[in-house]
């Protein structure tokens, strides 16, 4: 990735933060790892948010809750773009966003206003809290329709390792009712194994393989009835990126979400989605994205996610599916797995 200039650098008690001008436009980096970039942050954030909220709407409509989802919890999301996407849903009444590092939010407000900025942070439906995500949920009695975990990767000594464990997902499950949904970002969705330890899994190693996509799915599957992996192409990350959607319910639901007709998705987008007032458009973004989504056509307030994309996201490649089948690891407090 070509680096053009360094716009900001700082270090908080939690992590280092940089904003760079790169080939992909303005780019947020924490602890040396790209978090999002101007040219394609919409791919990552729309993929993280909208499948979960759309599925919540469908599940809720079957149980006389057609106006759901109403309440959303965001763990992390300091760039504010995750909250931006949530607020596009016209059923939303309350969004609680908890991030441990206020510095990321302040930096994003100043240098990345297109991600959401003041328009999101000062939105009437947003409650923003600087706190440890796990500690906040432990002390809260509130239940949510959707819980979104948008935190940094499980890097050894990083701030978010515990937020990928079975114990944490059990806590998340307690904050959801029977028809609610949780989703988390899950790291690289590449089937190429990037070994970073001389001790292989077959030799007793627990972190020889640097991908966590399979273990995150396995860990959620140990807590929820369904843990469905999916992916999106994020060019600024250099690879496809993984997500896992988790929920409870009858066995057939897993197949239903994957096979949703594109017309169902597109109709819900048209009924529910509208842009958040006051959020500026990116000045520099891929020509294709701006050309096909002017905001005037059907679903124009989304630049990536629609009914066709939904079905593509759940169609993982055969090598990736085979690799994930072989990986039986589960992430716990006692036995964490680090991406690198």
């Amino acid at each position: 990735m070509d680096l053009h200039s360094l716009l900001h650098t700082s270090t908080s008690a939690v992590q280092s933060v940089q904003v760079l001008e790169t080939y992909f436009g303005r780019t947020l980096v924490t602890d040396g790892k790209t978090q999002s970039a101007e040219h394609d942050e919409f791919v990552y954030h729309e993929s993280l948010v909208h499948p979960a909220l759309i599925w919540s709407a469908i599940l809720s409509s079957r149980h006389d809750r057609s106006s759901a989802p109403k309440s959303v919890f965001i763990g992390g999301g300091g760039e504010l773009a995750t909250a931006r996407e949530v607020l596009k849903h016209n059923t939303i009444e309350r969004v609680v966003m908890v991030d441990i590092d206020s510095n990321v939010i302040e930096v994003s407000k100043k240098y990345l206003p297109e991600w959401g900025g003041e328009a999101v942070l000062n939105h009437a439906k947003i409650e923003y809290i600087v706190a440890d995500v796990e500690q906040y949920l432990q002390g809260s009695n509130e239940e949510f329709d959707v819980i979104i975990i948008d935190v940094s990767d499980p890097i050894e000594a990083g701030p978010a390792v515990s937020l990928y464990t079975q114990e944490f997902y059990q806590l998340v499950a307690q904050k959801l009712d029977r028809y609610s949904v949780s989703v988390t970002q899950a790291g690289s969705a590449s089937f190429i194994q990037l070994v970073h330890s001389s001790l292989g899994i077959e030799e007793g190693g627990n972190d020889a393989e640097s991908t966590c996509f399979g273990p995150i799915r396995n860990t959620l599957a140990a807590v929820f009835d369904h843990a469905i992996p999916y992916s999106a192409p994020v060019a600024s990350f250099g690879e496809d990126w993984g997500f896992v959607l988790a929920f409870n319910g009858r066995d057939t639901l897993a197949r239903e979400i994957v096979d949703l007709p594109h017309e169902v998705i597109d109709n819900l987008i048209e009924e529910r989605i509208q842009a958040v007032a006051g959020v500026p458009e990116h000045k520099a973004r891929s020509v294709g994205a701006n050309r096909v989504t002017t905001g005037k056509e059907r679903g124009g307030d989304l630049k990536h996610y629609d009914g066709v994309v939904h079905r593509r996201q759940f169609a993982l490649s055969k090598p990736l599916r085979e690799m994930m089948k072989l990986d039986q690891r589960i992430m716990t407090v006692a036995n964490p797995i680090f991406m690198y």
Side-chain angles (χ1 to χ4, degrees), residues 66-298:
S66 58
S67 60
K70 294 181 178 180
S71 62
V72 175
F73 176 87
I74 301 171
E79 304 119 300
L80 301 170
T82 297
R84 178 196 68 201
E85 295 303 318
V86 170
L87 289 169
K88 289 180 179 180
H89 287 252
N90 58 21
T91 62
I92 295 298
E93 297 178 356
R94 173 169 164 76
V95 181
V96 177
M97 176 183 155
V98 177
D99 196 291
I100 197 170
D101 192 357
S102 61
N103 185 46
V104 172
I105 294 171
E106 293 304 316
V107 169
S108 297
K109 282 194 325 184
K110 181 176 181 180
Y111 292 97
L112 311 172
E114 298 87 355
W115 276 248
E118 296 281 0
V120 165
L121 199 59
N122 296 326
H123 198 284
K125 297 178 181 179
I126 286 278
E127 181 180 358
Y128 156 55
I129 300 161
V130 178
D132 179 277
V133 172
E134 187 169 15
Q135 290 178 5
Y136 177 86
L137 286 176
Q138 287 171 340
S140 173
N141 294 320
E142 188 170 0
E143 288 188 346
F144 298 92
D145 294 322
V146 178
I147 291 181
I148 300 170
I149 305 301
D150 182 23
V151 295
S152 56
D153 298 327
I155 300 168
E156 189 167 7
V161 172
S162 68
L163 304 185
Y164 292 93
T165 63
Q166 184 174 1
E167 292 86 346
F168 176 71
Y169 293 144
Q170 289 167 342
L171 174 61
V172 167
Q174 294 170 14
K175 307 302 176 181
L176 298 169
D177 72 21
R178 183 66 182 168
Y179 310 113
S180 297
V181 176
S182 180
V183 65
T184 185
Q185 79 93 6
S188 169
S190 173
F191 62 84
I192 300 173
Q193 296 187 348
L194 303 172
V195 177
H196 66 92
S197 169
S198 60
L199 183 62
I201 297 171
E202 70 281 357
E203 299 171 285
N206 194 39
D207 63 346
E209 164 55 44
S210 64
T211 181
C212 286
F213 194 19
I216 291 170
R217 192 219 73 86
N218 298 341
T219 305
L220 280 162
V223 176
F224 292 88
D225 294 342
H226 304 286
I228 313 299
Y230 64 102
S231 69
V234 184
S236 61
F237 292 173
E239 56 191 336
D240 280 8
W241 208 250
F243 309 85
V244 182
L245 190 68
F247 54 93
N248 291 315
R250 66 179 185 274
D251 292 346
T252 58
L253 290 178
R255 189 74 254 170
E256 286 181 39
I257 185 174
V258 172
D259 291 338
L260 281 172
H262 66 82
E263 297 89 351
V264 172
I265 302 290
D266 291 337
N267 287 335
L268 284 169
I269 289 172
E270 186 173 26
E271 292 169 5
R272 291 168 174 260
I273 302 296
Q274 56 192 74
V276 179
V279 177
E281 181 55 87
H282 284 281
K283 297 181 182 66
R285 182 174 267 168
S286 64
V287 173
N290 282 335
R291 179 178 294 158
V292 301
T293 56
T294 64
K296 296 179 180 178
E297 65 283 341
R298 188 183 197 211

Side-chain angles (χ1 to χ4, degrees), residues 1 20 22 24 27-37 40 79 153 234 236-237 241 340:
M1 179 167 61
L20 313 174
T22 74
F24 295 104
T27 302
L28 178 67
V29 176
T30 64
D31 283 340
K33 184 170 177 57
T34 297
Q35 299 303 308
S36 60
D40 59 6
E79 304 119 300
D153 298 327
V234 184
S236 61
F237 292 173
W241 208 250
Y340 52 84

